[in-house]
Structure formats: C-alpha cells, structure tokens
C-alpha cells in the first residue's frame, strides 16, 4: 500500500490494512510478488497527484507479469469525477476504485474483482454515516491516530477537502473515549486526535459537547501520557481550549495553528474567516496562558492576487509569532475550487522567489528556538532507530521537536529524559539523563 498526503490518509490506510488482515492478507514490501497493490491518494497538492500517476504507470508492468494481481486506487483523488474517469479510461489495468466514504466496502469489492472478474467502483459523494469499530492495523505500537471528525464545512477557496471528504461530522464522544481507553489498555502512550478542524468538534452532535470538554474527558484516562490534536482552525480557537492546554497535564503544549497568509486581504479571499490582527491576538493569548507552548503553522506562498505588500505581511507574522516550525507550500491550482477561477494567478518564478525569501526569514527563527533548548532536559517518546545511524534513536518532545540520541532499541515506545547538547534547524541532539 502506498499512501500519499495527510495524517487522515495515514489513518485511513491503517483501517484498510486492518480489514485486509482480518480477511487473510499479509502486508509485504515486495510489490513484485504482491497479490494486491493499493494506492491511497491525495488531492490537496499537485505534487502528490503527479507522484501517484507516475507510480501507477510503473505498476502496469507488474500487472502484465502477474495478471492475477489486483490494483486498487482509493482516497481523495477518486472522489473527483474527472480524475476518476481519467483513471478508468487511461489505466485499464486498475481493478478496484473506492472513495473516502466507502472504505468499509473494500472486502466485497475485492470479492467482486476476484470471483466475478469485474472492475469494481464504489463512490459516495457524501454521507452522514460513521462506521465505528473498523479493524485497524496501526503503524506504531506506542502512538496512535484517532479520528474525532470527518469532512469539513469551512470551504477555504484553495481547498478541495469539503468536496472530496464531504461535510463535517463528529464522532460520538463515548466512541472516542472507548477507543482511547482501549489504546491505553494495549500500552499506547500517545494519541493524536484528527480532524480537518478539531476545534469545531461537536457542532453537529445533539449533546453539544465541545472539543475542550472532550479533551478534559480524555485527560482522565489512565495509561495515556500524551494527547495531541491536528488541525486547529484559528477562527474556532476558544478561551476554553486554551484553558485545557494550560490545565490538562496530558494535553501537549503544542498547537498547530495554520495562518496560511499574514495578509488580511488574502485571508478574506481565502475565506479563512479571521484577520491578521485576530490571529496575532490568539497567539499572544496562547503564549500568555501557556508560556511554554510551541506554535507551528502552515503557510501558502503565491495565492492568486498576492502582492509584494501581502507577502511582507506574512513575513511580519513570522517575525512576530516566532514559529517553532512551519509547513510551507507554493500555491497550486486545484480544479473545482474557487481560487482556481481567480484572476491574477501568480507566475511560478515569483512564487519561488518569494518562497526562498520566506525560508530565509523562517529558518533562522526555528534554529534560534531550538538553540534555546540546549542544556535543558525534555521527556522524549522514543519512536525508532535513527535512519542515519543504528546506534542512535529518534523521538519527539511534547513540543513535537525531533531529537536524536544514543540508546538501545529496547527503549522504543518508552518516554525517556534527554538533555539537549546540540541543535540543527530540523532536529536536536542529546544524551539520555
């Protein structure tokens, strides 16, 4: 299985793996001998789309050598009619297509493709149904992804999510609480709550529970030591939520708060429903109530109509907030969105030039934030052996900073105290205390 895109897609892949394992499949890294190859696609950025089509073309040769191999494509791209038709017409070797709302139908789709030798397609544009208790084969044994909402009601003008994942719907709190309790019983130490906008959790529930109230309940669960959440929309960041971060010991002092642009005019055309001034007020409130908070963000460079003055507003926000890290993107046209039809699309060379200037401001700030950690001791959840050295381990602090340090493999999944001795822009180095 090849997964592209966000953590929501990663978690969908865990559900797909869980279903396949339950009906007798075993995961393999050897695609040449696989009986089933699945692409879980992403439509948010053009780069992920291009990677998918390139890899799908490569698989054609595998299918020719092994005709009984099943090729399945799912995820956000398949919710888009034009792209789905392109796959159906251009890639005739694809056997199964399903969408974000029909993951639970995969076993029957496989049966139809294998037994009836028919191409199987199952897409639902939107649904109010949430399927609980689906089997999951989680990627890690010590940290887990947990959906609390599906879909989105925000309709940012650059984003396809509401069109491909449907309108926002929240899971019942008891189902979330029971899932996290079960994870704690299985030895998991960290959960990350997922939603396109976690702050609006509960808006469509009859009992009216808020995201802050849900966090209070999850904080009571024995065994879980860290609670994270992604993604937090500035327009719905409440004083109650800030209070939860301050008061609940398990809720990490880390808020991912996408700004997207520092220009109020650009934010208006993005339909973000907040201004630069409002965003900075939220940041100041967060820092005042939770002085140790780490703030990360998303920034889009080159949105249609972005002027040099607009861009400088974004630079100003970066300097004022002093982000701990940021995901930075060049704006790319997504067909079907309002922004794709806007005039004054920014030339690629201007986007790239601004992008480079933005990083020249951002990276020294991130490095300085890391340098402030030297000499301090942080609890680190050990995640894996380092990719660059077998004698080093890799983990994260509650602030989501990546740390490399010497240690034995049996520490993976444990939380250890690490003293920071050296830092780079993208990671820190330390020693176990």
């Amino acid at each position: 299985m090849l997964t592209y895109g966000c953590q929501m897609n990663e978690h969908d892949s865990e559900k797909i793996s869980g279903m396949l394992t339950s009906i007798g499949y075993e995961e393999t890294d050897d695609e040449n001998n696989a009986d089933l190859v699945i692409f879980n696609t992403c439509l948010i950025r053009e780069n992920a789309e291009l990677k998918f089509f390139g890899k799908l073309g490569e698989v054609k040769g595998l299918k020719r050598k092994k005709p009984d191999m099943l090729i399945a494509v799912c995820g956000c791209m398949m919710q888009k009619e034009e792209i789905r038709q392109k796959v159906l017409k251009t890639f005739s070797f694809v056997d199964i297509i399903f969408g974000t709302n029909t993951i639970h139908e995969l076993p029957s789709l496989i049966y139809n493709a294998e037994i009836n030798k028919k191409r199987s397609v199952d897409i639902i544009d939107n649904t109010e149904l949430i399927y609980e208790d689906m089997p999951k084969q989680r990627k890690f044994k010590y940290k887990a992804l947990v959906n609390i909402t599906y879909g989105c009601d925000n309709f940012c003008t650059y984003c396809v999510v509401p069109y491909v994942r449907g309108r926002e719907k929240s899971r019942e709190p008891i189902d979330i609480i029971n899932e996290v309790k079960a994870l704690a019983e299985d030895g998991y130490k960290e959960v990350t709550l997922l939603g396109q906008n976690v702050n609006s959790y509960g808006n469509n529930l009859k009992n009216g529970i808020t995201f802050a109230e849900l966090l209070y309940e999850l904080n009571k669960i024995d065994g879980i030591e860290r609670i994270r959440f992604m993604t937090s929309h500035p327009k719905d960041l409440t004083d109650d939520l800030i209070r939860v971060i301050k008061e609940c010991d398990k809720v990490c002092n880390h808020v991912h708060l996408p700004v997207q642009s520092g220009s109020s005019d650009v934010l208006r055309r993005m339909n973000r429903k907040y201004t630069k001034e409002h965003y900075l007020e939220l940041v100041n409130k967060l820092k005042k109530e939770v002085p140790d908070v780490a703030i990360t963000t998303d920034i889009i460079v080159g949105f249609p109509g972005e002027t040099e003055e607009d861009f400088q507003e974004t630079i100003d926000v970066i300097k004022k907030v002093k982000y701990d890290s940021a995901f930075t993107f060049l704006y790319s046209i997504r067909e079907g969105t309002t922004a794709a039809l806007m005039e004054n699309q920014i030339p690629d060379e201007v986007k790239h030039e601004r992008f480079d200037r933005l990083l020249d401001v951002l990276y020294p700030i991130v490095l300085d934030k890391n340098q402030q950690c030297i000499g301090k001791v942080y609890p680190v959840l050990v995640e894996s052996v380092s990719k660059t050295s077998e004698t080093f381990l890799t983990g994260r602090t509650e602030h989501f900073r990546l740390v490399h340090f010497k240690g034995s493999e049996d520490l993976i999944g444990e939380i250890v105290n690490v003293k920071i001795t050296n830092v780079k822009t993208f990671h820190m180095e330390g020693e176990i205390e």
Side-chain angles (χ1 to χ4, degrees):
M1 180 153 53
L2 290 88
T3 305
Y4 302 89
C6 66
Q7 287 181 308
M8 196 76 77
N9 265 22
E10 292 283 353
H11 192 36
D12 284 348
S13 289
E14 291 181 340
K15 295 175 186 176
I16 292 167
S17 291
M19 279 191 298
L20 293 174
T21 301
S22 71
I23 61 174
Y25 280 88
E26 294 180 6
E27 192 169 356
T28 176
D29 293 327
D30 184 5
E31 61 185 27
N32 291 291
N33 290 316
D35 299 299
L36 172 63
V37 176
I38 301 178
F39 294 87
N40 190 357
T41 63
C42 173
L43 192 55
I44 299 299
R45 313 253 173 241
E46 183 181 23
N47 190 41
E49 188 176 331
L50 295 174
K51 283 183 179 178
F52 157 66
F53 279 118
K55 188 64 179 177
L56 185 60
E58 293 177 19
V59 172
K60 184 177 182 179
L62 295 178
K63 178 82 169 181
R64 189 180 296 117
K65 295 176 184 176
K66 192 175 180 182
D68 289 338
M69 174 188 288
L70 293 180
I71 310 296
V73 183
C74 65
C76 293
M77 285 178 67
M78 294 304 97
Q79 293 289 144
K80 191 79 171 171
E81 173 71 20
E82 302 93 305
I83 299 178
R84 188 165 68 248
Q85 290 303 320
K86 177 180 178 180
V87 171
L88 288 168
K89 293 175 183 177
T90 309
F91 302 92
S92 58
F93 56 89
V94 171
D95 303 287
I96 298 168
I97 291 176
F98 59 105
T100 57
N101 296 316
T102 50
I103 290 173
H104 59 285
E105 297 288 356
L106 179 57
S108 62
L109 295 174
I110 291 174
Y111 180 86
N112 189 53
E114 281 188 333
I115 305 301
N116 300 324
K117 305 298 180 184
K118 290 182 179 180
R119 175 180 264 182
S120 300
V121 180
D122 196 340
I123 301 290
I124 297 175
D125 287 335
N126 200 5
T127 178
E128 295 299 316
L129 297 176
I130 294 177
Y131 292 89
E132 296 289 350
D133 302 321
M134 290 177 65
K136 303 174 186 72
Q137 185 168 302
R138 298 188 185 272
K139 187 176 181 180
F140 301 101
K141 299 294 185 184
Y142 48 87
K143 65 176 185 176
L145 303 172
V146 177
N147 281 113
I148 66 169
T149 69
Y150 297 90
C152 185
D153 286 347
N154 290 320
F155 290 92
C156 300
T157 57
Y158 53 81
C159 185
V160 297
V161 167
Y163 307 102
V164 298
R165 284 196 173 268
R167 302 301 296 269
E168 184 177 279
K169 47 190 177 291
S170 299
R171 292 177 67 193
E172 291 292 337
I174 189 62
D175 292 323
I176 299 168
I177 291 167
N178 286 341
E179 181 175 350
V180 175
K181 282 182 176 177
L183 289 167
E185 290 171 2
D186 287 341
Y188 284 79
K189 291 183 170 62
E190 178 179 299
V191 294
T192 299
L193 309 178
L194 296 181
Q196 251 66 48
N197 177 12
V198 291
N199 295 354
S200 61
Y201 169 80
N203 283 354
N204 66 325
L205 294 177
K206 293 179 181 178
N207 59 23
I209 186 173
T210 66
F211 181 47
E213 290 167 338
L214 176 68
L215 286 173
Y216 273 121
E217 292 303 312
L218 296 178
N219 196 68
K220 299 174 184 176
I221 297 174
D222 292 334
I224 296 298
E225 298 186 40
R226 287 182 177 177
I227 301 170
R228 301 188 184 278
F229 53 87
M230 295 278 284
T231 290
S232 198
H233 198 298
K235 75 179 179 65
D236 297 312
L237 183 64
T238 63
D239 291 348
D240 285 344
L241 179 55
I242 294 174
R243 194 176 302 112
V244 167
I245 299 169
K246 179 181 180 179
E247 295 178 356
C248 291
D249 60 317
K250 297 177 183 180
V251 177
C252 291
N253 288 355
H254 168 229
V255 178
H256 187 71
L257 195 64
V259 66
Q260 306 301 4
S261 173
S263 164
S264 293
D265 184 54
V266 172
L267 290 170
R268 176 183 56 79
R269 288 184 283 113
M270 286 180 168
N271 194 35
R272 292 291 289 173
K273 299 183 176 70
Y274 57 86
T275 63
K276 173 186 178 181
E277 291 72 26
H278 178 220
Y279 184 89
L280 291 175
E281 285 174 10
L282 285 174
V283 169
N284 290 335
K285 191 180 294 184
L286 258 173
K287 289 184 175 182
K288 180 182 178 181
E289 295 298 319
V290 191
D292 190 35
V293 70
I295 300 175
T296 56
T297 198
D298 296 339
I299 300 171
I300 297 173
V301 175
F303 186 78
E306 180 189 72
T307 64
E308 176 63 24
E309 290 75 18
D310 293 326
F311 174 70
Q312 288 301 326
E313 295 283 0
T314 301
I315 296 296
D316 185 56
V317 168
I318 292 172
K319 290 178 177 178
K320 283 185 166 73
V321 176
K322 298 188 183 302
Y323 291 108
D324 292 79
S325 68
F327 296 106
T328 51
F329 306 97
L330 293 170
Y331 170 77
S332 60
I333 294 175
R334 300 284 77 197
E335 295 298 332
T337 63
T338 303
L341 304 176
M342 289 182 178
E343 297 179 354
N344 299 320
Q345 297 286 334
I346 306 300
D348 283 347
E349 59 270 22
V350 176
K351 291 181 192 176
H352 284 279
E353 190 269 340
R354 288 178 183 168
F355 190 80
D356 290 341
R357 280 194 283 148
L358 184 142
L359 297 186
D360 286 343
V361 174
L362 175 66
Y363 285 171
I365 290 172
V366 175
L367 178 59
D368 179 66
K369 298 282 280 192
N370 284 348
Q371 286 172 336
Q372 294 174 31
C373 299
I374 293 177
K376 297 179 181 178
V377 177
Y378 294 95
V380 174
L381 176 59
V382 186
E383 298 188 350
S384 65
V385 174
S386 171
K387 295 179 181 178
T388 56
S389 173
E390 292 183 358
T391 61
F392 276 77
L393 300 173
T394 293
R396 290 190 184 272
T397 68
E398 74 162 302
H399 305 96
F400 210 63
R401 291 191 178 96
L402 191 66
V403 186
H404 301 312
F405 51 94
K406 280 191 175 181
S408 58
E409 196 170 337
D410 60 352
L411 290 176
I412 293 174
E414 299 297 322
I415 294 179
V416 299
N417 289 325
V418 178
K419 183 176 182 179
I420 306 305
T421 57
N422 188 36
V423 299
K424 307 291 184 182
T425 302
F426 303 110
H427 74 270
M428 306 193 296
E429 298 166 2
E431 300 171 347
I432 295 178
E433 282 283 282

